[in-house]
Amino acid sequence: MAPNALGAADFEVALKEGRSGIRFFEISQSLNFRCQIAGKPLITEDYKARFFDDYYQNKLDNNAIIYACLAGFEAWENAGLTHHQDQIDFDSGMIIGSGALGLDGSNHAVFSKILAGNNKQLGSRAIPESMSSGAAAYLNKILGLGNRILSNSSACITGTESVLLGYEHLKLGKAKRMLCGSTEGDGIFIWGAFDAMRILTSDSNEDPTNGSRPMCNSSVGFVPGSGSGAMVLETLESAKSRGAKIYAEILGADVNSGGLRDGGSMTAPNSNAVVHCMKNSLREAKVNSDEIDLISGHLTGTKGDATEIKNWKKALGGAQDKFPLINTPKSMIGHCIAGAGSIELVATLIQMEKSFVHGNYNIKEVNPDITAEIPLERIPMKTVYKEINTAIKANFGFGDLNCAIVLRKWKDG
Amino acid sequence: MDKNTIQEQLKEIIAVYVPDKEILGKLTLEHDLINDLKINSAHIVDIVLDVEEKYDIMIEDDVIMQMGTIGQAIDIIHGKVLEK
């Protein structure tokens, strides 16, 4: 569930054509936000009705939970799996992370009632819809999974980390399959709070679709986004035994922290730790840097982009001419915070399956600090059709957190 | 407002909280909200809020405890509407 597409099939089309999901929001203007644009999935009542019962359709308010339920349900069905009202599946679990469920716009009504002395009017959903595990809990009411149900929360690495955690759980032999993903909601509280940090795009309120410009010289900040991505991880034995469609294999993954030291802080990553994380994931994957066909970067559209490129180059051995293609869908969807990693991993899997690399749109001129490091042609500005066998994906998050995952396209036989 | 009208309206209000919709077609006054209709006990408070809004009445906490069956709920709502 991305700002520019609903469902994996539509997302493929959107990525290829460079469809923007960034819009102007009048409410942000009326509240004096500097950044008045954002990316938000356009979920209609009709779309929800295809997946939800009447309770979820009419009563669920929290956008992050709605996105996660829709994404998780689609991933589960896409994997050829079913669910039954009266059955529990103890071989399957889920890790559905979230960033700030309590900052979703739906909490406005909760806070208003409490502040007005009318907390009695809240009903039963205020806690389940704002607890960090709320998305997993509501999604699991649909699926009935009985293995580990976990909701990680690690800022902007939440989505990549959810997949790493599922992968590690499977490697320990504790489950046959894990539904992994993450979600982030939207609205004035999260947008307004990020806006206060002066890290959002403020120059594109009249030109929203050009607001998110990762790697561009004129980039002044990121555009907040929201949404959810999800995928099913499964042991090879289990996937093969039921004839499941396998998109890719996870070869290796790593998560670490820069300790908020050595250049690392609440908001900026310690580059040594970033490189360490990237290298560790490649080492575990037993993949040489020249085998990488695609990097799915974090690349939010801030000053950090150039630093990220330098770190990638260092992790991949430092050779300028061997640097792989690199992209991020953030020009189309903004930075979906805790939802980013999972949505971008879905984008990576789609590109591997369909053999293309989507463009980095909105770049007028690449940041010279980036072109000083890598060849310009490694930054596609429009969709390139090319087989992608091996890809590496990384995200970096507040609190000096890093996560990287190495994937290889699955080929039968 | 007669009790039959309240019953029809109450059925509409509780429908979303009843997992098995079939039972709504043969709803009786004796049906217990939690034990027979399988409504999650946490949702009783949601139903009370929906009822309060619908009829512009207040249902006190101790009265909520007496809303065991459909019939009891109708009696409570009917009494509160008459008091208005």
Side-chain angles (χ1 to χ4, degrees):
Chain A
M1 300 299 124
N4 67 347
L6 304 183
D10 191 32
F11 196 34
E12 179 193 337
V13 178
L15 293 172
K16 282 180 179 166
E17 68 186 24
R19 185 192 306 160
S20 176
I22 308 299
R23 292 177 282 144
F24 169 75
F25 285 85
E26 225 163 76
I27 182 84
S28 301
Q29 185 182 47
S30 72
L31 294 171
N32 309 314
F33 294 176
R34 293 161 73 254
C35 173
Q36 299 159 9
I37 60 176
K40 175 178 172 168
L42 289 160
I43 310 273
T44 61
E45 291 302 308
D46 283 348
Y47 190 84
K48 281 198 287 184
R50 283 161 54 193
F51 306 97
F52 283 175
D53 67 11
D54 58 343
Y55 178 71
Y56 275 44
Q57 176 91 22
N58 297 310
K59 299 295 181 181
L60 266 187
D61 288 323
N62 191 304
N63 287 318
I65 294 177
I66 291 168
Y67 304 150
C69 287
L70 291 170
F73 191 80
E74 183 187 337
W76 197 250
E77 290 213 314
N78 187 285
L81 295 160
T82 54
H83 56 92
H84 302 282
Q85 191 69 45
D86 305 317
Q87 285 176 16
I88 300 173
D89 174 2
F90 288 107
D91 291 325
S92 304
M94 70 165 84
I95 300 175
I96 302 293
S98 65
L101 290 189
L103 281 183
D104 182 72
S106 58
N107 291 292
H108 200 155
V110 175
F111 299 141
S112 301
K113 281 175 183 165
I114 291 174
L115 288 167
N118 295 324
N119 79 310
K120 272 182 70 177
Q121 291 175 7
L122 285 180
S124 70
R125 296 188 311 278
I127 289 296
E129 287 201 47
S130 61
M131 63 189 191
S132 296
S133 54
Y138 278 100
L139 175 56
N140 204 26
K141 186 164 183 286
I142 302 175
L143 298 180
L145 310 187
N147 203 283
R148 179 170 298 186
I149 306 296
L150 180 73
S151 306
N152 62 313
S153 186
S154 301
C156 306
I157 71 161
T158 300
T160 28
E161 189 187 54
S162 72
V163 173
L164 172 141
L165 292 169
Y167 160 70
E168 290 180 342
H169 192 61
L170 291 179
K171 280 211 300 185
L172 284 173
K174 301 254 188 179
K176 284 185 180 170
R177 65 193 70 81
M178 297 295 288
L179 177 58
C180 298
S182 65
T183 191
E184 192 73 75
D186 35 53
I188 56 172
F189 302 121
I190 188 161
W191 296 340
F194 272 114
D195 192 59
M197 300 180 80
R198 314 291 198 276
I199 53 177
L200 303 185
T201 303
S202 55
D203 66 0
S204 300
N205 294 333
E206 270 133 49
D207 188 15
T209 59
N210 277 308
S212 184
R213 303 186 295 275
M215 295 185 280
C216 181
N217 194 26
S218 69
S219 197
V220 291
F222 74 82
V223 175
S226 57
S228 174
M231 63 211 70
V232 174
L233 271 57
E234 189 162 10
T235 64
L236 185 58
E237 188 188 4
S238 170
K240 277 188 162 172
S241 73
R242 62 183 190 87
K245 177 177 171 56
I246 304 172
Y247 290 89
E249 178 185 7
I250 297 179
L251 297 179
D254 194 55
V255 63
N256 76 359
S257 170
L260 297 95
R261 284 174 177 55
D262 190 17
S265 68
M266 179 58 72
T267 54
N270 168 344
S271 286
N272 289 333
V274 168
V275 172
H276 201 255
C277 177
M278 293 165 169
K279 279 184 166 173
N280 270 351
S281 68
L282 288 166
R283 191 176 303 128
E284 180 172 291
K286 297 188 176 66
V287 162
N288 289 324
S289 52
D290 58 3
E291 292 175 74
I292 302 284
D293 300 306
L294 175 67
I295 296 171
S296 173
H298 188 57
L299 300 170
T300 59
T302 62
K303 281 182 282 185
D305 292 358
T307 310
E308 178 179 339
I309 297 292
K310 283 179 195 150
N311 290 335
W312 278 117
K313 194 175 155 192
K314 208 178 283 180
L316 296 175
Q320 178 151 346
D321 55 335
K322 284 184 180 164
F323 198 84
L325 292 174
I326 184 165
N327 71 2
T328 171
K330 286 192 176 78
S331 61
M332 297 170 266
I333 63 177
H335 181 7
C336 300
I337 319 294
S342 58
I343 294 172
E344 292 163 11
L345 271 168
V346 170
T348 306
L349 291 170
I350 290 172
Q351 291 171 92
M352 293 178 103
E353 191 210 357
K354 304 289 183 172
S355 297
F356 71 96
V357 176
H358 70 71
N360 297 284
Y361 306 101
N362 293 343
I363 298 179
K364 303 282 182 293
E365 186 195 353
V366 176
N367 182 337
D369 291 341
I370 291 175
T371 44
E373 298 289 330
I374 63 170
L376 188 63
E377 70 265 19
R378 305 297 152 83
I379 306 169
M381 313 261 182
K382 58 179 190 203
T383 297
V384 178
Y385 289 86
K386 184 180 185 298
E387 177 148 36
I388 304 297
N389 285 313
T390 311
I392 181 168
K393 205 272 166 285
N395 289 99
F396 318 110
F398 278 13
D400 207 359
L401 305 175
N402 312 303
C403 190
I405 292 180
V406 182
L407 298 160
R408 179 157 288 163
K409 182 175 181 170
W410 183 256
K411 290 172 182 166
D412 287 316
Chain B
M1 187 176 297
D2 65 81
K3 289 188 177 180
N4 283 337
T5 309
I6 294 175
Q7 181 168 353
E8 278 311 301
Q9 292 171 341
L10 183 62
K11 190 164 93 177
E12 281 175 34
I13 288 171
I14 64 169
V16 72
Y17 303 105
V18 177
D20 179 7
K21 309 294 180 200
E22 267 179 39
I23 201 165
L24 292 167
K26 45 192 178 190
L27 199 64
T28 70
L29 297 179
E30 285 71 41
H31 273 130
D32 186 278
L33 298 176
I34 293 171
N35 295 320
D36 298 325
L37 303 182
K38 307 295 179 198
I39 293 172
N40 183 318
S41 59
H43 288 322
I44 298 300
V45 72
D46 296 319
I47 291 170
V48 168
L49 288 174
D50 292 347
V51 163
E52 287 182 336
E53 191 182 325
K54 172 87 183 170
Y55 299 101
D56 191 21
I57 55 175
M58 275 286 289
I59 298 176
E60 298 78 12
D61 289 355
D62 53 336
V63 178
I64 294 175
M65 311 301 280
Q66 297 160 22
M67 283 179 45
T69 64
I70 292 290
Q72 288 167 338
I74 292 169
D75 289 342
I76 289 167
I77 296 167
H78 188 248
K80 294 281 181 189
V81 170
L82 284 182
E83 280 173 26
K84 279 210 298 183

